[in-house]
Amino acid sequence: MSEIEWRRVPIGPDADRLATREASRTVLLVVHTVTSGQRLMDAAKLLENDLRVQVVFTRGPDVFGEGVGEFFARLGVITIPWSQATATRFDLAIAASDGGTHEVRAPLIVMPHGAGFNKLVMRGAGRAAGSRMVYGLDPQRLVHDGSLIPSAIALAHEDDRATLARTCPEALPVADVVGDPAHDTLLASRARRSSYQVALGAGDGRKLVVVTSTWGPHSLFARRPALWARLLTELPEDEFRIVTMLHPAVWSTYGHWQIRTWMAEYLRRGLSLVPPEADWRAVLAAADWVIGDHGSATVYGAVAGAPVLLGTFHAADVSAGSPAAVLGAAAPRLSGRGTLRRQLLQAAADFHPDAYAQVVGRITSEPGAFNRNMRRLMYRLLRLRQPASVPTAQPAAQPFLIA
């Protein structure tokens, strides 16, 4: 990660003399990856219209940080280098990943960047050999040199509080169940389903099949690369439109050119790719079917109200009782027997609106309340009175595809 020059305004040595406005509070958003950045924008929008608060961004250290610079450029935000971010005191900092957060000098809110806390990871040095813990709720990421890092941990569900009590009980006093922004946005987006489908090349009588893959060796993209050829062969082009979403970490690891090169033949045959900067929630809201794995995007497909089928599911990577685990127990698997067209039509015939009620209920115990609860938490730590407006979830932005 190349270091940019320290900024002199709106924070820095010349801020008092040269800044146009003197904000009474400054918030730092620590963006480690495109995925965490997208989640942080759900919190940042809760500061809209408040002239008392200014927001600056920094890129936190992360192996999947490629693409964060372009993410900042698209937003048009003010960024500061990590060295300046860790040398400056802020009134509040928010992060959705953990790299280097112990260096931040501010009350810190840590929030999940996916559907709750699904992933199991190996314990660090000195722990029981081979034992695993829930990523994001573990002492490795919440405690540094014996001190708790975050001032608040934003949870989506009361069950996450129970998990935290087992995995890192010293962090329990700062846990706050606020809800899940993606869940609320997906519900608000259902009314725009038709316009989303048109933007994705469907809505013309063809059904939309969204294929989503997380990252890593157990992902759908890694385990079943031949699935895309089957989809394009077995689903008639005049009946189906196939759109693929890959986790931003895949794009960060390999780059646009490599992914398009790997999938060149599929693209020529009609496959479409959703770029990592597009609003993935709109894509799920438009889906007639979602095919995925144990990643968060597949879990959120249960909220979209479409049949979800699992092309692969690596249960060993998933925390028991998490939203992904609940989906893994409820969703049907794609089979090597029978055509994919037949399997999709059968899944649609068997589907009923409350098929994934348990999955949706496990994602959040505060449905529709993320904006209200998260803003309350942010302003409490900012020591400011909240604006009089009532924040409500808005539909996802219109989706788009790679040309």
Side-chain angles (χ1 to χ4, degrees):
M1 179 171 71
S2 60
E3 189 76 323
I4 58 177
E5 186 177 334
W6 277 38
R7 292 196 66 92
R8 298 167 62 188
V9 290
I11 66 169
D14 297 321
D16 291 342
R17 182 170 59 90
L18 298 177
T20 300
R21 287 195 54 83
E22 183 181 354
S24 63
R25 301 288 191 276
T26 302
V27 176
L28 175 71
L29 295 189
V30 183
V31 178
H32 292 86
T33 65
V34 172
T35 304
S36 66
Q38 291 169 335
R39 180 55 60 97
L40 288 174
M41 295 313 297
D42 290 318
K45 69 183 180 183
L46 301 176
L47 299 170
E48 288 179 351
N49 303 316
D50 194 336
L51 299 181
R52 301 169 297 173
V53 182
Q54 67 178 359
V55 181
V56 296
F57 292 69
T58 191
R59 176 178 166 182
D62 196 284
V63 68
F64 294 126
E66 191 69 30
V68 171
E70 292 82 356
F71 176 79
F72 288 153
R74 287 190 296 270
L75 290 175
V77 300
I78 293 299
T79 62
I80 61 174
W82 180 245
S83 59
Q84 186 177 9
T86 55
T88 306
R89 291 195 177 277
F90 296 91
D91 299 292
L92 178 65
I94 311 175
S97 195
D98 62 279
T101 50
H102 64 279
E103 300 180 58
V104 174
R105 304 170 69 187
L108 173 68
I109 299 175
V110 174
M111 55 192 300
H113 56 254
F117 300 91
N118 295 311
K119 189 191 304 183
L120 290 175
V121 294
M122 297 300 296
R123 292 183 183 271
R127 305 282 181 173
S131 60
R132 291 159 68 96
M133 65 180 99
V134 181
Y135 176 84
L137 297 181
D138 56 288
Q140 277 184 201
R141 290 161 182 83
L142 297 177
V143 178
H144 181 75
D145 286 344
S147 297
L148 194 62
I149 297 170
S151 302
I153 304 172
L155 304 177
H157 200 284
E158 283 291 344
D159 286 359
D160 296 326
R161 192 197 297 272
T163 302
L164 184 64
R166 296 192 305 271
T167 59
C168 189
E170 58 267 49
L172 202 55
V174 302
D176 197 327
V177 179
V178 300
D180 186 290
H183 167 278
D184 296 352
T185 297
L186 277 164
L187 290 186
S189 300
R190 286 183 172 183
R192 295 193 179 180
R193 184 171 183 272
S194 296
S195 66
Y196 294 156
Q197 285 200 328
V198 171
L200 295 170
D204 54 358
R206 291 185 295 173
K207 299 292 187 179
L208 183 64
V209 180
V210 174
V211 187
T212 178
S213 174
T214 189
W215 61 277
H218 303 299
S219 66
L220 182 64
F221 190 44
R223 296 286 293 272
R224 295 190 67 177
L227 174 61
W228 281 266
R230 280 194 66 193
L231 287 165
L232 291 163
T233 299
E234 299 177 21
L235 300 184
E237 189 175 357
D238 60 344
E239 294 183 47
F240 299 91
R241 173 76 159 153
I242 305 167
V243 169
T244 290
M245 291 197 304
L246 301 176
H247 192 286
V250 181
W251 296 96
S252 173
T253 300
Y254 299 106
H256 283 230
W257 181 88
Q258 181 66 83
I259 291 172
R260 292 181 65 172
T261 300
W262 278 338
M263 307 190 85
E265 179 61 26
Y266 304 149
L267 294 170
R268 283 191 285 269
R269 292 174 59 187
L271 178 71
S272 292
L273 283 171
V274 179
E277 62 268 22
D279 196 326
W280 55 270
R281 299 165 300 186
V283 181
L284 291 179
D288 290 296
W289 292 273
V290 175
I291 298 174
D293 49 26
H294 57 283
S296 287
T298 312
V299 178
Y300 283 122
V303 183
V308 177
L309 297 95
L310 298 175
T312 187
F313 189 87
H314 195 67
D317 282 349
V318 174
S319 173
S322 67
V326 179
L327 178 69
R333 267 62 170 173
L334 278 183
S335 171
R337 298 189 299 270
T339 68
L340 294 178
R341 180 181 186 276
R342 183 175 180 179
Q343 292 182 59
L344 292 180
L345 294 179
Q346 186 63 54
D350 295 342
F351 182 75
H352 49 91
D354 60 346
Y356 301 122
Q358 285 187 304
V359 182
V360 176
R362 180 57 186 85
I363 291 174
T364 176
S365 56
E366 291 284 326
F370 172 83
N371 284 357
R372 183 189 69 226
N373 293 336
M374 186 66 178
R375 192 178 74 171
R376 182 197 67 238
L377 173 61
M378 292 163 63
Y379 275 84
R380 174 169 63 80
L381 291 177
L382 283 169
R383 300 179 183 273
L384 285 176
R385 185 186 298 274
Q386 290 190 62
S389 60
V390 178
T392 58
Q394 300 299 312
Q398 199 77 351
F400 53 94
L401 300 166
I402 289 180

